Amino acid sequence: MSKTPDSAVRTYIQQQRTAFLDDLAAWLRIPSVSAQPEHAADVRRSAEWLAAALKETGFPTAEVWETPGAPAVFASWPSDDPEAPTVLVYGHHDVQPAAREDGWNSDPFDPVVRDGRLYARGAADDKGQVFFHTLGVRAHLAATGRTAPAVHLKLLVEGEEESGSPHFRALVEEHAERLAADAVIVSDTGMWSEDTPTVCTGMRGLAECEITLYGPAQDIHSGSFGGAVPNPATAAARLVAALHDEHARVAVPGFYDGVTDLTGRERALFAELPFDEERWLRTARSTALHGEAGYTTLERIWARPTAEVNGIGGGYQGPGSKTIVPSSATVKLSFRLVAGQDPDHVEKAVRAWAADQVPAGIRHEIVFGAATRPCLTPLDHPALQSVVRAMGRAFGQEIRYTREGGSGPAADLQEVLGAPVLFLGVSVPSDGWHAPDEKVEIDLLLKGVETAAHLWGDLAENWRDAH
Amino acid sequence: MSKTPDSAVRTYIQQQRTAFLDDLAAWLRIPSVSAQPEHAADVRRSAEWLAAALKETGFPTAEVWETPGAPAVFASWPSDDPEAPTVLVYGHHDVQPAAREDGWNSDPFDPVVRDGRLYARGAADDKGQVFFHTLGVRAHLAATGRTAPAVHLKLLVEGEEESGSPHFRALVEEHAERLAADAVIVSDTGMWSEDTPTVCTGMRGLAECEITLYGPAQDIHSGSFGGAVPNPATAAARLVAALHDEHARVAVPGFYDGVTDLTGRERALFAELPFDEERWLRTARSTALHGEAGYTTLERIWARPTAEVNGIGGGYQGPGSKTIVPSSATVKLSFRLVAGQDPDHVEKAVRAWAADQVPAGIRHEIVFGAATRPCLTPLDHPALQSVVRAMGRAFGQEIRYTREGGSGPAADLQEVLGAPVLFLGVSVPSDGWHAPDEKVEIDLLLKGVETAAHLWGDLAENWRDAH
């Protein structure tokens, strides 16, 4: 088994660069905005365009998969080595809404290159990062002289990610057999920065609930009754206040059960990243840091579970005043979970805690939504090391490690398919996801191509060694 | 100075009863709903009707006073004794909205008598209780053979009480000289019950504020940033939670400064009232009592200052969930004040407390509305004793003492005119203020007439003795 010669890969990619960018631009011209019903036909057109492009790339199978919402695309290219591992690449072909008048310097659906950057809605999130896999697999074949990839390669590109992936889990469950994989590669994330290429090793999970507290059967006069009966808005506030202790730790008993603690090595790796507090605060639109005592900001957002109030409401919220004791108040909470935490256990813990907090005379109801599990790849996982080596060859730099604070459909793949989830993304924070003037750095995009070109061979080789 | 013979008063009132009720019914037919612009002409017609009725009663002066909103009525009848005290009666001629389909058994603006009760919007609140003063003063004259009242009698009947009296303070200030009085009698309250006639000795004051807490400059992603920056909804909740201590006392330092404590006699008088906890909870639409430790429910709502959350809101309150750290949250608070408390001092205390509670990274703004001062008549005030004696003669029962938990424009009269405020009302809790089938008990209404008939002579006599 020989390594793919790096210079041959690079040469091949440079030869294909113009055609690759032209094809990507054609796809970016389709305004596949899943959140806007008037673009439903465009989302379908985007799926059909991608399926055709994947066929042209060489995937023997490329299909549009229907859902009750927008269609997804599935493609598959078996390896010529039956013993090879199976890898499933995840991405999405729908995009966020965009309009020139939102502050774009050019039409968001008329891609344009300026200063080595390709500007268009979806350039980075996520069409560009899906599309680099097409040239990636061809570069892999060209440089190695193979006619089929070194791994059994599958792609699943959904069409509703920007709308919260409402039908994704059901789609994965329905097609679990055809999606079966030894590892999942999510290409829908980014790196620390242009200068600091990184690999993401996990995302947090998410449990969400809404707690409604009921007091008087209707709003009552605060002059006649206030001060003598319990107020559900006060009870809601006291509940929220009790959510954290004085060290900003979540005070729900049992919440931290099972949490996988950061290792010394992980903390050291996070600390190596060039974190600039002032710049981070600007991105957070905030003026001060605040969080769990004993952890750095990166540790807090990437590796520690949290409880956050997303919304609170009760009583009179219009202009002026209304002297009432409100009849009810509602709190929306979300809990970010990390590896080792079980959403069901967290739900039970929160229910018990809430029941314990609510005072006499106040009735409460809790509704939990569907939870998302956390995912975390151990640093020494052989597939992760393959990604790191492939990126290292493409970037010619040491690859550092990050995590994502958010939660995503990757967890569904991990759970339904029982496969570890890895992340391969080359987008950078300045790419403007969900914002005007979204762009992708063309050089980085081609590094993504190059990484994919190296990855399949490395993965096949080392998977075999490891298993 | 002879006492008005009680039987002569009663006989006179019985003779006039039919004409009195017919006149009141005519007034009740005018739908003087101040809150509904389409009734603006009716509110004016109501004022004009009342002014004419007061002239016919014998008031030498009866005028419609304009405001930027609905008109008020002023009437004046000087005593033939220049040394007599001046009394200003306060009431209102506007009414709450009402429609047959709200659940009325008869047209709310077509008065009807059933079982000794007069049903109509405004029968008790407040046309009936204003109107008993017309027959009251005539009964006073008839029974004593006077041609002018024993006191300089003034009436001020506003037209916007049900809309929050937005122009009342300015009206009183504008006409302060003509309204000058030694005592104010508010006829817009009620008694404990049919069986337990009472006199109200005070109302609480009111200070209201809105506190807005600002966090991130816009809503930010709770996955990317949550747990590492302060959340203004959490800060708002912690602020509200800090409002009361574990004894349900208001925890704002300085809030209780100056509070006039209940005397042993006042507590004993409250305790004499036949308070039924279950019935009270039904009226409060609540299932449990909750309030300041060491006080009974009546003490809590009548004689203790309170802090109440009237509304709270921040972040996402729509259906489902939204994983954000909200950019702001708002809390509406109202403080009921009792005698001895200064609204300006309370405002300063709340501002200092809030500034102290808000964590780093959260900016806050507090806006206070116009405050209402508390009013309290000492139990041994000679004018209060006159009211109690006059009621006692009318009802033939011991008169007990209550207070009102709410706040009202009476405080403006007390403050601008510098006169003590007394309360004379004969309505009962079952009268259905602001509700369908509002009614007044005709027997009680005539007791109100009788009380007024006795009151002016008693007040003139005892005022002289006391001053």
Side-chain angles (χ1 to χ4, degrees):
Chain A
M1 177 73 215
S2 68
K3 285 204 176 178
T4 310
D6 297 3
S7 61
V9 165
R10 231 162 254 162
T11 304
Y12 178 83
I13 292 170
Q14 282 309 319
Q15 286 165 350
Q16 302 297 321
R17 172 192 167 112
T18 306
F20 168 72
L21 291 175
D22 286 350
D23 286 347
L24 174 56
W27 193 22
L28 290 169
R29 277 190 197 96
I30 303 173
S32 50
V33 181
S34 60
Q36 296 173 333
E38 65 268 31
H39 284 298
D42 294 318
V43 181
R44 176 165 301 277
R45 196 149 57 90
S46 162
E48 285 161 358
W49 187 98
L50 176 61
L54 291 169
K55 280 241 159 160
E56 193 157 322
T57 298
F59 282 83
T61 301
E63 303 169 1
V64 172
W65 279 0
E66 297 301 330
T67 78
V73 174
F74 172 75
S76 160
W77 196 339
S79 175
D80 45 14
D81 174 4
E83 302 298 305
T86 302
V87 174
L88 173 67
V89 170
Y90 165 86
H92 61 91
H93 68 91
D94 63 321
V95 299
Q96 280 277 312
R100 178 88 192 239
E101 55 269 30
D102 295 342
W104 286 74
N105 282 305
S106 55
D107 187 322
F109 298 107
D110 188 7
V112 60
V113 173
R114 290 193 301 269
D115 302 329
R117 295 159 177 157
L118 175 60
Y119 287 86
R121 173 57 86 223
D125 176 23
D126 183 35
K127 285 174 173 169
Q129 303 207 93
V130 166
F131 208 61
F132 76 58
H133 285 285
T134 61
L135 184 53
V137 68
R138 287 175 50 209
H140 162 59
L141 299 181
T144 56
R146 310 180 69 112
T147 53
V151 298
H152 300 299
L153 187 59
K154 298 177 180 178
L155 257 79
L156 178 61
V157 183
E158 70 160 315
E160 297 187 309
E161 199 274 345
E162 300 295 3
S163 298
S165 303
H167 308 105
F168 185 69
R169 170 99 186 196
L171 185 78
V172 174
E173 284 172 347
E174 181 188 347
H175 297 284
E177 224 167 300
R178 296 186 69 192
L179 292 169
D182 298 302
V184 174
I185 305 258
V186 171
S187 276
D188 187 27
T189 55
M191 308 191 303
W192 179 265
S193 73
E194 289 84 336
D195 303 328
T196 308
T198 52
V199 63
C200 171
T201 64
M203 297 183 90
R204 292 195 288 188
L206 181 63
E208 292 171 297
C209 71
E210 182 171 304
I211 309 179
T212 305
L213 298 100
Y214 298 95
Q218 62 188 44
D219 292 350
I220 57 174
H221 194 287
S222 71
S224 306
F225 304 108
V229 294
N231 179 327
T234 302
R238 295 180 83 98
L239 189 75
V240 170
L243 198 52
H244 296 92
D245 68 14
E246 70 273 28
H247 307 295
R249 274 175 69 87
V250 179
V252 174
F255 178 75
Y256 289 97
D257 288 354
V259 162
T260 303
D261 284 328
L262 279 160
T263 63
R265 180 157 176 244
E266 282 168 319
R267 302 189 78 165
L269 287 170
F270 286 178
E272 279 177 14
L273 292 165
F275 178 76
D276 178 331
E277 181 177 311
E278 271 186 43
R279 178 180 295 183
W280 187 87
L281 279 174
R282 275 198 301 278
T283 317
R285 311 298 308 272
S286 295
T287 58
L289 299 175
H290 174 81
E292 190 184 353
Y295 293 93
T296 67
T297 294
L298 291 181
E299 290 166 355
R300 286 168 177 168
I301 58 174
W302 288 347
R304 295 299 299 171
T306 61
E308 208 68 56
V309 187
N310 308 121
I312 185 168
Y316 182 68
Q317 298 183 51
S321 60
K322 195 172 177 188
T323 46
I324 54 166
V325 176
S327 72
S328 70
T330 298
V331 175
K332 287 178 193 279
L333 302 178
S334 63
F335 300 89
R336 296 286 167 176
L337 309 179
V338 300
Q341 277 182 303
D342 171 29
D344 294 335
H345 180 77
V346 167
E347 176 176 336
K348 276 195 200 84
V350 171
R351 284 183 182 278
W353 165 81
D356 203 45
Q357 297 293 321
V358 173
I362 300 286
R363 186 171 64 80
H364 79 288
E365 279 172 9
I366 305 194
V367 179
F368 271 81
T372 303
R373 286 178 183 274
C375 47
L376 178 67
T377 322
L379 291 180
D380 56 1
H381 193 286
L384 177 62
Q385 290 311 311
S386 290
V387 174
V388 169
R389 272 191 303 272
M391 283 188 82
R393 287 165 68 184
F395 284 86
Q397 269 181 278
E398 186 183 350
I399 305 304
R400 298 177 186 275
Y401 296 85
T402 63
R403 295 196 198 170
E404 282 278 327
S407 312
D412 287 323
L413 294 168
Q414 173 186 264
E415 210 183 331
V416 178
L417 306 180
V421 168
L422 310 163
F423 298 87
L424 170 56
V426 293
S427 178
V428 286
S430 63
D431 281 353
W433 290 31
H434 300 202
D437 278 346
E438 178 179 347
K439 53 89 179 166
V440 70
E441 303 279 332
I442 293 171
D443 280 355
L444 295 181
L445 191 64
L446 298 178
K447 299 276 191 212
V449 173
E450 205 174 327
T451 301
H454 298 311
L455 180 57
W456 309 136
D458 191 301
L459 206 62
E461 180 174 353
N462 290 287
W463 194 269
R464 201 166 291 135
D465 291 350
H467 288 78
Chain B
M1 179 74 216
S2 66
K3 285 205 174 177
T4 310
D6 296 5
S7 62
V9 164
R10 232 162 253 163
T11 305
Y12 178 82
I13 292 171
Q14 284 307 320
Q15 286 165 350
Q16 302 296 320
R17 175 192 164 109
T18 307
F20 168 73
L21 292 175
D22 286 351
D23 285 349
L24 174 56
W27 192 21
L28 290 169
R29 279 191 194 95
I30 304 172
S32 50
V33 181
S34 60
Q36 295 173 335
E38 64 268 32
H39 284 298
D42 294 317
V43 180
R44 176 166 300 278
R45 196 150 56 89
S46 162
E48 285 161 358
W49 187 96
L50 176 61
L54 291 169
K55 280 241 160 164
E56 195 158 321
T57 298
F59 281 82
T61 301
E63 302 169 0
V64 172
W65 279 1
E66 297 301 330
T67 77
V73 174
F74 172 75
S76 161
W77 196 338
S79 175
D80 46 13
D81 174 4
E83 301 297 306
T86 303
V87 175
L88 173 67
V89 170
Y90 165 86
H92 61 90
H93 68 91
D94 63 321
V95 299
Q96 280 276 315
R100 179 88 192 237
E101 55 269 29
D102 295 342
W104 286 74
N105 283 303
S106 54
D107 186 320
F109 297 107
D110 188 7
V112 60
V113 174
R114 289 194 301 268
D115 300 329
R117 294 161 178 156
L118 175 61
Y119 287 86
R121 174 57 88 223
D125 177 20
D126 183 34
K127 285 174 173 169
Q129 304 208 93
V130 166
F131 206 61
F132 75 58
H133 285 285
T134 61
L135 183 55
V137 67
R138 286 176 52 210
H140 162 58
L141 299 182
T144 55
R146 308 182 68 112
T147 53
V151 297
H152 300 299
L153 187 59
K154 297 178 180 178
L155 258 81
L156 178 62
V157 184
E158 71 158 318
E160 297 187 310
E161 200 275 344
E162 301 295 1
S163 299
S165 304
H167 308 104
F168 185 68
R169 171 98 185 195
L171 184 78
V172 174
E173 284 172 348
E174 182 188 345
H175 297 286
E177 225 168 299
R178 296 186 71 191
L179 291 170
D182 297 303
V184 173
I185 305 259
V186 171
S187 277
D188 186 27
T189 55
M191 307 192 302
W192 180 265
S193 72
E194 290 84 336
D195 303 327
T196 308
T198 52
V199 63
C200 170
T201 64
M203 297 184 90
R204 292 195 289 189
L206 182 63
E208 293 171 296
C209 71
E210 182 170 305
I211 310 179
T212 305
L213 297 101
Y214 298 96
Q218 63 189 44
D219 292 351
I220 56 175
H221 195 287
S222 71
S224 305
F225 303 107
V229 294
N231 179 327
T234 302
R238 295 180 83 98
L239 189 74
V240 169
L243 198 52
H244 296 92
D245 68 14
E246 70 274 29
H247 307 296
R249 274 175 68 87
V250 178
V252 174
F255 178 74
Y256 289 96
D257 288 355
V259 162
T260 303
D261 284 328
L262 278 161
T263 63
R265 179 155 177 245
E266 282 167 321
R267 302 189 78 165
L269 287 170
F270 286 179
E272 279 176 13
L273 292 165
F275 178 77
D276 179 331
E277 182 177 309
E278 271 188 41
R279 177 180 296 182
W280 187 88
L281 279 173
R282 276 200 301 278
T283 316
R285 311 298 309 272
S286 295
T287 58
L289 299 176
H290 175 79
E292 190 184 354
Y295 293 93
T296 67
T297 295
L298 292 181
E299 290 167 355
R300 286 168 178 169
I301 58 173
W302 288 348
R304 295 299 299 171
T306 61
E308 208 67 56
V309 187
N310 309 120
I312 186 168
Y316 181 67
Q317 297 184 50
S321 60
K322 194 173 178 188
T323 47
I324 53 167
V325 176
S327 72
S328 70
T330 297
V331 175
K332 287 178 194 277
L333 302 179
S334 63
F335 300 88
R336 296 285 167 175
L337 310 179
V338 299
Q341 277 181 303
D342 171 29
D344 294 337
H345 180 76
V346 167
E347 175 175 337
K348 277 196 198 86
V350 170
R351 284 183 182 277
W353 164 81
D356 203 44
Q357 297 294 321
V358 173
I362 300 286
R363 186 170 65 78
H364 78 289
E365 280 172 9
I366 305 193
V367 179
F368 271 81
T372 303
R373 285 178 183 273
C375 48
L376 179 66
T377 322
L379 291 180
D380 56 2
H381 193 285
L384 177 62
Q385 290 311 311
S386 290
V387 173
V388 168
R389 271 191 303 272
M391 284 188 80
R393 287 166 70 184
F395 284 85
Q397 270 180 277
E398 186 183 349
I399 305 304
R400 297 177 188 277
Y401 295 84
T402 64
R403 294 194 198 172
E404 282 277 328
S407 313
D412 287 325
L413 293 167
Q414 173 186 263
E415 210 183 332
V416 177
L417 306 180
V421 168
L422 310 164
F423 298 87
L424 171 56
V426 293
S427 179
V428 286
S430 62
D431 282 352
W433 291 31
H434 300 203
D437 279 345
E438 179 179 348
K439 53 88 181 165
V440 70
E441 303 279 332
I442 292 172
D443 280 354
L444 295 181
L445 191 64
L446 298 178
K447 299 276 190 210
V449 173
E450 205 175 326
T451 301
H454 297 310
L455 180 57
W456 309 135
D458 190 300
L459 205 62
E461 183 175 350
N462 289 287
W463 194 270
R464 201 168 292 136
D465 292 351
H467 287 80

